[in-house]
C-alpha cells in the first residue's frame, strides 16, 4: 500500500493528461517546425495547448512560452528582467527570504555579477508584507519577484497588492506560481504581474515541461539560443506531448478547482486537527492564507528524516522540507526564514495532499504519526532534555 | 543505488541496543541539536574492562540511528581497549557504506563511544593514555 | 498513406522507448529528490538510465548530465567553456560555418560579449579540415566546437583528428553529436572530446530530453540554477520518463546499429541512384563520409518549399533545409557555406531515412520526385532561362 | 492554424492560368532567383483594353504560386485600367490571408501585373499615366 502525500514535490500524471499524450507519442510525432502535414498537425496541437493554457490564467496565447519546467521559467524571467534593467542602470532586485532555490540561486548568480538583492522578511506566518515591498523599491529597482505560494509551508502571498505596487512604481513584477497554478485561482491580470512561472508536474501534468508567461511589452531574452521556436525566445524542438499533456491537466484542474479546493482543504484540516493532541508540536505558516493541500509541522525532539523514513516504512510518502534540498544537511531555509529555531526546524514534516487522497488515507497517516513520533522521542536525547526542562542547543 | 544500504535500513528500522542504562559506568554525548544529530551512549563495564552492556539514545537521521546501532553492536562484549579502536570507517564498512553527506554520522558514533569511555575512566579513576584512550 | 522521410528533424518514438516510459507515466511518478520509496525508485531508474547512456558512448555515469534537449546541451557546453576561458584571459572560440543554430546563435551572443569567433570553412564537400582547426588555434582559444555530423547534408566530420589536435594543444573540445548518436558509432574517448551534446528525439527516443556529456575535470557551469539535481549542474525536477525512454531508445539503436547502417545506407543509395537521371540536379555533401540516412539534393530551376508541399500532397514528409529555419526566407546557411549558389540553394530537398523506412517507400518517393520536379520546372521562368542558356540571377 | 489557408493550398496545388502566351501583348517579370521568387506574367489584351487572357510562370514557394494564380484570376476579363488597380492586399484577402513572412509574394504578383501592363503600353504605343498606370 502506498499513500502518496508528497504532491508539492510532484504529482501523479492524470488519466486525462496521459491520454492526451499517448496520441502524440504513438502517431503524431512530427516536429512543429516541419512544413509537411505531420509537422503542421503537431504545430496545431501545440498552438491549441498554448491557447488553453493562456485561457486558464487570463493571458493571451502569444504571452505563453513553453519551457522545460518551473526552474527554467524562473531563471529566464529573472535573468531577462535583470539584464534589461542593467542596460538602463538598474541593478537592484527585490525578492523574499523563502523563495524557491530556482529563484534564490539565480539571484546569487546575479549578485556575483554586481546586482544588489533585497530579500524582504516573511515573518512568523510566512507571509510577505506588501508595505515592505513598497518601501524596498528604489529608483534602480529592476525587478520584484515574489512567489505566489510557498512550496514548503503553503502560505499564499498577497500577490495582487504587490502587483499593484509594482505597476504603480513601474517595476517589472515576476511571480513564481509553480505551487499555485492548478490549485488556487491564478489570473495574470488580477495579479498585475509581468511574468509568471508554471510547472506542469505540480498539477498532475507531465514532468519536464513548464510555462513562462510574459506580458506583451515585457522584454524577454532567450536562455537557450538556437532555432526559432517559441517566437525566438526558447530554442529546442518542442516536447509536443508534454505541452499537450500539460494543457490537458491544467484545463482539468481549473475546471474542478472549486470542488477540489473544498475537498482537499478538508483533508488538510483533518490532519491539522488530528495532530493537535501531540505535545510540543505545531503547524508552520498560516491556516487562513494557505494552499488547500499543503501542511508543514514541527515535532520537537525528533529529526525529520527519521520520521520521514519510518512513515515510508508504513507506505506513506511525505517530505521534510523541500525535495530539492534533500541530501543537504542544513535545515530548510524556509522554516529558518520564518524564525523557527534551527534545532526545531530539523524536525519538520511536510504533507501535501491533492484530490487523489482520501479520508481513510489521512486517518492512516495520523495513526502512523501517533506511533512514530512518540517512538522517536523515546530514543531521543533531545526529547529527554526537553522533558527535563533543559536548554537544548 | 538506493539512498541507504539494506544494512543501514535494517539498523535504522530495527535498531539494536536502544535505550538507557540506569547507573551506567560511563556516559558519552556528542553532537548538537542545531546540527541535527545528538548521540548519547551508556556503558556497563565489568571488572576485566569488558563492555557487558551498551545502550544508545539518538536524535538524528536514519544514518545517525543506524550508526549508533551498529557501533554499539560492534563494541558490545569487547574490551574497552578494543572499543576505543573502533573507527568510523569500520562503522561505515559494517553498514555497507553511507552516502558521502552522511559520513559524519559514523564519526559521531566513534566519538560518542570514546566520550563514554573517557567518562568511565574518569568516574572509575582509571589511568589512560590521552592519545590512544587505552587503559594504562 | 504517410511516408515519413524527415528523421533528421525528429523521429517516431520507438515501441521500446514508449513501453519504458509508460511504466513511469502510470505508476512510478515519484520525484527522484524525494526520500520515500517512490522517489528513490524513480531515482534508481534515472541512475540506471544514466549508466546505460554512459555505456553507449564510452563515458562514465557521472559524466552524463540530463538536459531538455540538444539545444540546451549546446548552450550549456559553449557558455561553460567560454566563461571558464574568459576568466583566464581566453576569449577566442573556433567553430565551423555550418553548425546548428543552437551553436551559431550562442556564439553570436558571446560575440556581443566581446568574444572573438573563428568559423572555419567547410568546403564544397561539407567537411571541415583538421589542419584548419590546428592553424586557427591561438594562445587565447577557449574552445573548439565542431559538430559530429551535419543535420542538413549529413556529412561526418573528422572528429577524432580534431579531438587529438585540441587535446595536444590543451584546448577544450565540444562536439554537437545530435545527428550522430544512435546512428553511427560515437565514443567520447576515440573522439577525444571534453563535451558532447545528444538529443533523444533524433534516435526514436522521446522529445524534450537530451544529454550533455562533460568529461570529469572539465568545468561545467549551470545554465539553469536552482535545486541540486544533476549534481548541482542542472536544476529542475527530472523528466524521469523522458530520461528512461531516451536510454531505452539509445540502447536499442546502438545494439542494432551495424545492421541499420547497412539497411539505411542502401535506402539512401537507392534515392541517390534513382534521381541520377534528372538533369541539372545534384547531391550536396560527400557520399563517402555521410550519415547513413541523410541525403540532400538540389534541383535547379525550382524552389524547395513548393517541392516539399507537393511531396506532402503525395503523403511524403520531407524537408527543405533544416526544420528550424522554416519560416525564414533565407536559403539554408549550410548550403551557402558549402558554396552552393543562392539561387540553387533555394531548390534543396532533404530526405532523412531511418530503419522504419522501406524500399517500397523509396520507390514511391522517387516516382513523386520524377513527376513533381518536371512539373515545377515547366512553370518556372528560371528553368526557362536555364534551358535557353541565359544567366540566372 | 495551418501554415497556409485552404484557399492558398487550392491555388497552389491547382493553379489557374499556368503557362505562357505565344505572341503576348505584354509580358512582365519581377523578382530574382537569389531571393527565391520570380514571377512572369503574359497578357493578351483586346482592342477595348480588356484582358482576354493571362498566364503566368512562377519560380517560388507555395504562396508565390498561389498569389500568381489568384492575381491572374482576379484580372482575367477585366479592363486594363481595373487590372492596375489590383493591390497586393486584395490578393492576400482573396487568398484568405498569407503568413506574415510571405506577404511579399502578393506584392510580387501586383508588381508583375503592373510590369506586364507597362510592357503592353510600350509595345502598343499607348499613352499612360506614369503614376496610376492607367491609359490616358
Ligand atoms: C545538429 C543539431 N544540433 C542541435 C539540435 C537541437 O536539438 P533539439 O532541437 O533537440 O534541442 C539539432 C536538431 O534540432 C541538430 O540537428
Ligand atoms: C515554488 C517552486 N518554484 C520552482 C520549482 C521548480 O520547478 P521544477 O522542478 O519543475 O523546475 C518548484 C518545484 O520544484 C517549486 O515548488
Amino acid at each position: 500500500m502506498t499513500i502518496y502525500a508528497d504532491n508539492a514535490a510532484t504529482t501523479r500524471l492524470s488519466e486525462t493528461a496521459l491520454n492526451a499524450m499517448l496520441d502524440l507519442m504513438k502517431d503524431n510525432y512530427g516536429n512543429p517546425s516541419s512544413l509537411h502535414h505531420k509537422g503542421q498537425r503537431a504545430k496545431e496541437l501545440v498552438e491549441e495547448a498554448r491557447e488553453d493554457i493562456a485561457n486558464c490564467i487570463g493571458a493571451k496565447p502569444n504571452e505563453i512560452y513553453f519551457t522545460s519546467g518551473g526552474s527554467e521559467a524562473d531563471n529566464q524571467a529573472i535573468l531577462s528582467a535583470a539584464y534589461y534593467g542593467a542596460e538602463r542602470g538598474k541593478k537592484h532586485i527585490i525578492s523574499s527570504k523563502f523563495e524557491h532555490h530556482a529563484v534564490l540561486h539565480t539571484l546569487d548568480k546575479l549578485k556575483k555579477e554586481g546586482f544588489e538583492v533585497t530579500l524582504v522578511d516573511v515573518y512568523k506566518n510566512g507571509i510577505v508584507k506588501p508595505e515592505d515591498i513598497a518601501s524596498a523599491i528604489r529608483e534602480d529597482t529592476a525587478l520584484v519577484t515574489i512567489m505566489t505560494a510557498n512550496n514548503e509551508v503553503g502560505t499564499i502571498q498577497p500577490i495582487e497588492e504587490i502587483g499593484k505596487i509594482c505597476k504603480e512604481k513601474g517595476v517589472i513584477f515576476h511571480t513564481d506560481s509553480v505551487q499555485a497554478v492548478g490549485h488556487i485561482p491564478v489570473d495574470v491580470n488580477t495579479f498585475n504581474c509581468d511574468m509568471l512561472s508554471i510547472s506542469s508536474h505540480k498539477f498532475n501534468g507531465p514532468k519536464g515541461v513548464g510555462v513562462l508567461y510574459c506580458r506583451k511589452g515585457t522584454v524577454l531574452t532567450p536562455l537557450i539560443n538556437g532555432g526559432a521556436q517559441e517566437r525566438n525566445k526558447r530554442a529546442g524542438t518542442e516536447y509536443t506531448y508534454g505541452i499537450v499533456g500539460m494543457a490537458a491537466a491544467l484545463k482539468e484542474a481549473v475546471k474542478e478547482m472549486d470542488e477540489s479546493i473544498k475537498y482537499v482543504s478538508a483533508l488538510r484540516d483533518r490532519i491539522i486537527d488530528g495532530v493537535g493532541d501531540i505535545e510540543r508540536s505545531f503547524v508552520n505558516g498560516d491556516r487562513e492564507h494557505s494552499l488547500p493541500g499543503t501542511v508543514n509541522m514541527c515535532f520537537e525532539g525528533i529529526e525529520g528524516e527519521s520520521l520521514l523514513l519510518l512513515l515510508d516504512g508504513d507506505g506513506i510518502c511525505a517530505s521534510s522540507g523541500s525535495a530539492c534540498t534533500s541530501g543537504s544537511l542544513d535545515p530548510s531555509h524556509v522554516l529558518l526564514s520564518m524564525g523557527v529555531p534551527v534545532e526545531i526546524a530539523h524536525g519538520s514534516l511536510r504533507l501535501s495532499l491533492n484530490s487523489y487522497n482520501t479520508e481513510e488515507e489521512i486517518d492512516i497517516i495520523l495513526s502512523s504519526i501517533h506511533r512514530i513520533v512518540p517512538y522517536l522521542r523515546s530514543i531521543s536525547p533531545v526529547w529527554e532534555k526537553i522533558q527535563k526542562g533543559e536548554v537544548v542547543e | 543505488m538506493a539512498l541507504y544500504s539494506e544494512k543501514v535500513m535494517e539498523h535504522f528500522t530495527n535498531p539494536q541496543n536502544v535505550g538507557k542504562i540506569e547507573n551506567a559506568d560511563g556516559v558519552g554525548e556528542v553532537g548538537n541539536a542545531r546540527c541535527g544529530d545528538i548521540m548519547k551512549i551508556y556503558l556497563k563495564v565489568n571488572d576485566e574492562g569488558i563492555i557487558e552492556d551498551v545502550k544508545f539514545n539518538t536524535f538524528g537521521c536514519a544514518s545517525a540511528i543506524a550508526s549508533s546501532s551498529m557501533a554499539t553492536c560492534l563494541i558490545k562484549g569487547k574490551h574497552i581497549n578494543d572499543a576505543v579502536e573502533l573507527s568510523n570507517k569500520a562503522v561505515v564498512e559494517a553498514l555497507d557504506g553511507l552516502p558521502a553527506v552522511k559520513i559524519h554520522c559514523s564519526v559521531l558514533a566513534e566519538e560518542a563511544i570514546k566520550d563514554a569511555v573517557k567518562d568511565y575512566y574518569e568516574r572509575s579513576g582509571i589511568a589512560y593514555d590521552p592519545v590512544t584512550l587505552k587503559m594504562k
Side-chain angles (χ1 to χ4, degrees), chain A residues 18 45 68 75 88 118 122 125 144 162-163 304 319 325 361 366 388:
Chain A
L18 177 63
L45 292 168
S68 67
N75 275 253
R88 283 150 191 80
T118 302
V122 298
N125 64 351
V144 170
I162 297 171
S319 151
T325 52
E361 289 182 342
L366 285 169
K388 288 186 189 151

Side-chain angles (χ1 to χ4, degrees), chain A residues 300-303 305-307 309-310 327-329 331 341-344 346-347 375-385 388 392-393, chain B residues 3-4 9 12-13 15 18-20 29 31-40 42 56-63 65 101-102 104:
Chain A
E300 289 187 38
I302 66 174
E303 196 275 340
E305 191 204 277
S306 295
L307 173 54
L309 290 179
L310 290 177
S328 143
L329 297 168
V342 186
E343 60 279 12
I344 296 177
H346 278 294
Y375 161 69
L376 285 174
R377 282 176 170 176
S378 78
I379 69 167
S380 163
V382 173
W383 184 246
E384 191 184 1
K385 287 192 175 73
K388 288 186 189 151
V392 176
E393 28 101 64
Chain B
L3 182 60
Y4 291 126
M9 287 310 289
F12 165 59
T13 52
V18 182
K20 298 176 204 172
E29 183 180 306
N32 71 65
R34 293 182 60 83
C35 297
D37 313 274
I38 297 189
M39 274 184 211
K40 201 162 174 181
Y42 300 81
F56 79 89
N57 259 211
T58 290
F59 161 87
C61 63
S63 53
I65 291 173
V101 291
K102 300 290 193 178
H104 72 281

Side-chain angles (χ1 to χ4, degrees), chain A residues 261-377:
Chain A
I261 288 179
K262 251 183 272 166
Y263 177 75
V264 177
S265 318
L267 296 182
R268 178 203 53 196
D269 289 345
R270 195 176 180 89
I271 289 189
I272 296 178
D273 297 341
V275 297
D277 61 342
I278 300 180
E279 60 176 326
R280 299 193 83 113
S281 72
F282 50 88
V283 171
N284 296 300
D286 185 294
R287 200 161 168 177
E288 278 303 297
H289 302 94
S290 183
L291 290 172
T294 302
V295 54
N296 188 302
M297 299 167 276
C298 281
F299 300 99
E300 289 187 38
I302 66 174
E303 196 275 340
E305 191 204 277
S306 295
L307 173 54
L308 198 68
L309 290 179
L310 290 177
L311 283 170
D312 190 41
D314 289 356
I316 297 163
C317 297
S319 151
S320 176
S322 83
C324 295
T325 52
S326 66
S328 143
L329 297 168
D330 302 324
S332 144
H333 73 285
V334 171
L335 297 180
L336 298 184
S337 72
M338 291 164 61
V340 178
V342 186
E343 60 279 12
I344 296 177
H346 278 294
S348 79
L349 175 72
R350 179 187 70 184
L351 295 167
S352 45
L353 313 169
N354 73 9
S355 42
Y356 288 83
N357 292 110
T358 63
E359 271 191 17
E360 293 70 50
E361 289 182 342
I362 303 303
D363 292 342
I364 295 171
I365 293 174
L366 285 169
S367 94
S368 285
I369 291 178
H370 279 90
R371 196 186 78 249
I372 296 168
V373 169
Y375 161 69
L376 285 174
R377 282 176 170 176

